[in-house]
């Protein structure tokens, strides 16, 4: 008798977890919430949560259970956490962040056949044919660096020094910039690499100033632009008349309000500005600032759009979380983001988006990246060049 009750209880428990699992789709984000790049995770998390608040926690009959794990920006942690999420938690989708972490997680989503939305990485190779379950909602550094190179060459830049954070996204920004700028007739006099961890830009900026360029092309990751701007000003590069250009990470909206007037006039190419003039973005910024008390930056839209992609894919599959079905649903998807119109290239699974040229200006006493030119539906140029 006792045995029978035991079995009945066990069956009952199984049935109820089964039902709960069927009604829930778990989404596991592996983000840097501590460590040197914690500012990145903070923005992505805020964007993802805001999307869920706006859209409700249920989609296609599934309750979305968002599980956020902190990898501290360390790829070994990212791999271990993603493994736990995929194998133990059986997440429908894993979200990856920084380039080295996304590279560490890629093979796991391939083995597990589980969809993997890259919400941060800006390195082209992260989305590749060997990892067919990966898709990107962030950007590539190439999308921005080629466009700013051509703009700079057309607008009088002749002699450029590159200051680059020394890791994969920095290398990609520098190489795409150098190719395009040289092709346009300009000269890159030197490429200076700054360590990624706890950077002290001062000696590198002194070296850059001594080389006497007309323009400095800079890539620093989100979260480091404040320190950069302070040391740029202290070393007097603005007073020396050296123009500041780059992908928009160097005038990151999160930090821009406190960067000081030395960055006024900096021209960058990027996919998102908090002052993008669409109704959707105005609503986004207002809701974001109300919820969190800081300004959204380009990382936040990677998280917001990443969640949108997951919601829309689940709608298309009627709540089926099978990796192959989700990936089929994701390919070619198009939608309006706070950054402007975006889509997922059906062949490469990489993001296609507008790139805007912007200038730092003061608007009502606050610094903003003011968009003044648009390049529509830009694909990752590094992949395009390989075709
Ligand atoms: C990246 O992980 O590729 C990355 C991180 C921060 C940035 C840009 C790219 O600002």
């Amino acid at each position: 008798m006792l045995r029978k009750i035991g079995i009945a209880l066990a069956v009952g428990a199984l049935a109820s977890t089964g039902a709960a699992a069927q009604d829930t789709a778990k989404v596991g984000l592996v983000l840097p919430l501590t460590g040197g790049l914690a500012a990145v995770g903070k923005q992505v998390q805020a964007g993802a949560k805001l999307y869920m608040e706006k859209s409700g926690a249920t989609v296609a009959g599934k309750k979305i259970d968002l599980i956020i794990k902190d990898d501290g920006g360390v790829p070994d942690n990212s791999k271990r956490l993603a493994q736990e999420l995929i194998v133990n938690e059986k997440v429908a989708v894993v979200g990856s962040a920084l380039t080295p972490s996304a590279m560490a997680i890629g093979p796991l989503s391939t083995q597990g056949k589980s969809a993997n939305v890259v919400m941060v990485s800006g390195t082209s190779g992260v989305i590749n044919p060997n990892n067919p379950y990966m898709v990107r909602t962030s950007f590539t550094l190439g999308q921005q660096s080629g466009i700013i190179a051509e703009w700079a060459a057309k607008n009088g830049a002749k002699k450029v020094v590159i200051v680059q954070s020394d890791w994969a996204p920095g290398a990609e920004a520098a190489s795409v910039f150098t190719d395009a700028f040289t092709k346009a007739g300009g000269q890159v006099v030197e490429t200076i690499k700054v360590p990624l961890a706890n950077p002290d830009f001062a000696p590198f900026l002194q070296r850059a100033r001594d080389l006497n360029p007309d323009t400095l092309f800079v890539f620093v990751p989100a979260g480091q632009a404040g320190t950069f701007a302070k040391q740029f000003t202290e070393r007097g590069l603005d007073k020396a008349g050296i123009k500041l250009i780059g992908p928009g990470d160097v005038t990151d909206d999160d930090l821009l309000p406190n960067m000081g007037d030395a960055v006024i006039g900096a021209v960058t190419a990027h996919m998102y500005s908090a002052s993008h003039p669409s109704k959707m973005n105005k609503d986004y910024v207002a809701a974001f600032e109300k919820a969190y008390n800081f300004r959204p930056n380009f990382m936040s839209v990677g998280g917001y759009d990443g969640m949108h992609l997951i919601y829309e894919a689940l709608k298309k599959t009627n709540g089926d979380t099978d990796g192959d079905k989700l990936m089929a649903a994701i390919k070619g998807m198009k939608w309006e983001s706070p950054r402007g119109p975006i889509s997922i290239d059906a062949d490469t699974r990489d993001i296609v988006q507008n790139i805007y040229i912007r200038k730092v200006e003061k608007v009502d006493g606050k610094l903003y990246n003011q968009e003044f030119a648009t390049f529509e539906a830009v694909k990752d140029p590094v992949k395009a060049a390989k075709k």
Side-chain angles (χ1 to χ4, degrees):
M1 185 63 198
L2 262 182
R3 223 179 100 97
K4 266 193 189 153
I5 293 173
I7 289 171
L9 278 178
V11 171
L14 263 184
S16 71
T17 34
Q22 270 173 18
D23 294 342
T24 303
K26 290 185 184 175
V27 175
L29 307 188
V30 183
L31 303 175
L33 292 167
T34 52
L37 294 173
V40 171
K42 173 192 82 169
Q43 286 275 348
V44 177
Q45 169 170 255
K49 287 193 169 168
L50 190 66
Y51 186 84
M52 287 187 67
E53 259 156 52
K54 191 202 80 169
S55 314
T58 306
V59 59
K62 298 266 176 180
K63 181 158 182 328
I64 305 295
D65 182 5
L66 183 66
I67 308 172
I68 296 183
K69 300 281 183 190
D70 175 18
D71 66 9
V74 179
D76 279 349
N77 293 347
S78 325
K79 194 172 169 184
R80 177 176 50 77
L81 293 166
Q83 178 89 20
E84 280 168 24
L85 287 168
I86 294 170
V87 176
N88 302 344
E89 296 284 352
K90 308 213 169 357
V91 291
V93 182
V94 65
S96 4
L98 301 170
T99 290
S101 301
M103 284 172 133
I105 298 176
L108 301 176
S109 44
T110 307
Q111 283 155 23
K113 297 185 188 292
S114 53
N116 180 339
V117 182
V118 178
M119 302 184 182
V120 171
S121 171
T123 311
S124 177
V126 161
I127 304 296
N128 67 60
N130 296 329
N131 289 330
Y133 294 89
M134 291 175 100
V135 54
R136 174 169 10 230
T137 58
S138 43
F139 52 87
T140 71
L141 269 318
Q143 281 178 324
Q144 301 147 19
S145 304
I147 284 177
I148 196 68
E150 282 165 23
W151 182 88
K154 275 196 198 115
N155 286 275
K158 292 197 164 53
K159 199 175 149 190
V160 167
V161 169
I162 295 178
V163 173
Q164 159 219 323
S165 170
D166 192 12
W167 58 318
E172 198 156 304
S175 82
V176 172
F177 177 84
T178 303
D179 280 358
F181 191 62
T182 323
K183 231 179 248 159
Q187 186 199 1
V188 173
V189 257
E190 195 162 307
T191 299
I192 300 174
K193 296 179 185 171
V194 183
L196 174 63
N198 307 311
D200 175 11
F201 297 104
F204 301 99
L205 286 171
Q206 189 59 51
R207 165 91 190 132
R209 187 179 169 171
D210 293 346
L211 288 162
N212 206 20
D214 52 60
T215 306
L216 202 63
F217 171 87
V218 178
F219 169 75
V220 294
Q224 292 188 356
T227 315
F228 175 84
K230 187 168 170 281
Q231 297 184 329
F232 180 84
T233 317
E234 280 167 5
R235 292 280 144 172
L237 275 82
D238 55 326
K239 301 223 170 53
I242 300 172
K243 296 200 174 92
L244 180 60
I245 62 168
D249 313 58
V250 72
T251 56
D252 175 354
D253 268 301
D254 196 354
L255 303 165
L256 188 58
N258 297 315
M259 275 192 211
D261 290 357
V263 294
I264 290 177
V267 178
T268 53
H270 221 203
M271 27 58 90
Y272 179 70
S273 165
S275 72
H276 180 65
S278 69
K279 156 103 175 64
M280 176 178 267
N281 186 50
K282 285 183 181 150
D283 293 347
Y284 176 69
V285 174
F288 193 103
E289 288 184 337
K290 185 161 173 241
Y292 306 114
N293 237 345
F294 55 89
R295 201 191 271 186
N297 75 0
F298 62 107
M299 289 297 176
S300 78
V301 292
Y304 188 86
D305 290 323
M307 290 309 292
H308 178 84
L309 184 74
I310 294 166
Y311 271 53
E312 291 305 308
L314 282 167
K315 280 184 200 165
K316 278 200 187 173
T317 64
N318 284 322
D320 193 333
T321 57
D322 173 76
D324 288 296
K325 289 185 185 150
L326 285 176
M327 292 312 293
I330 278 165
K331 289 178 191 166
M333 211 182 262
K334 282 187 172 55
W335 70 99
E336 191 194 351
S337 152
R339 64 186 110 171
I342 63 178
S343 64
I344 301 297
D345 187 320
D347 294 333
T348 63
R349 291 165 277 110
D350 218 328
I351 187 159
V352 182
Q353 57 193 333
N354 290 353
I355 298 297
Y356 308 91
I357 307 202
R358 316 96 47 85
K359 187 184 248 166
V360 176
E361 287 171 7
K362 226 173 217 177
V363 183
D364 297 332
K366 290 188 192 147
L367 296 178
Y368 278 100
N369 290 294
Q370 294 297 96
E371 296 170 350
F372 63 87
T374 305
F375 291 75
E376 283 176 8
V378 178
K379 290 192 177 190
D380 171 33
V382 176
K383 281 192 187 64
K386 279 188 191 144
K387 273 199 170 171

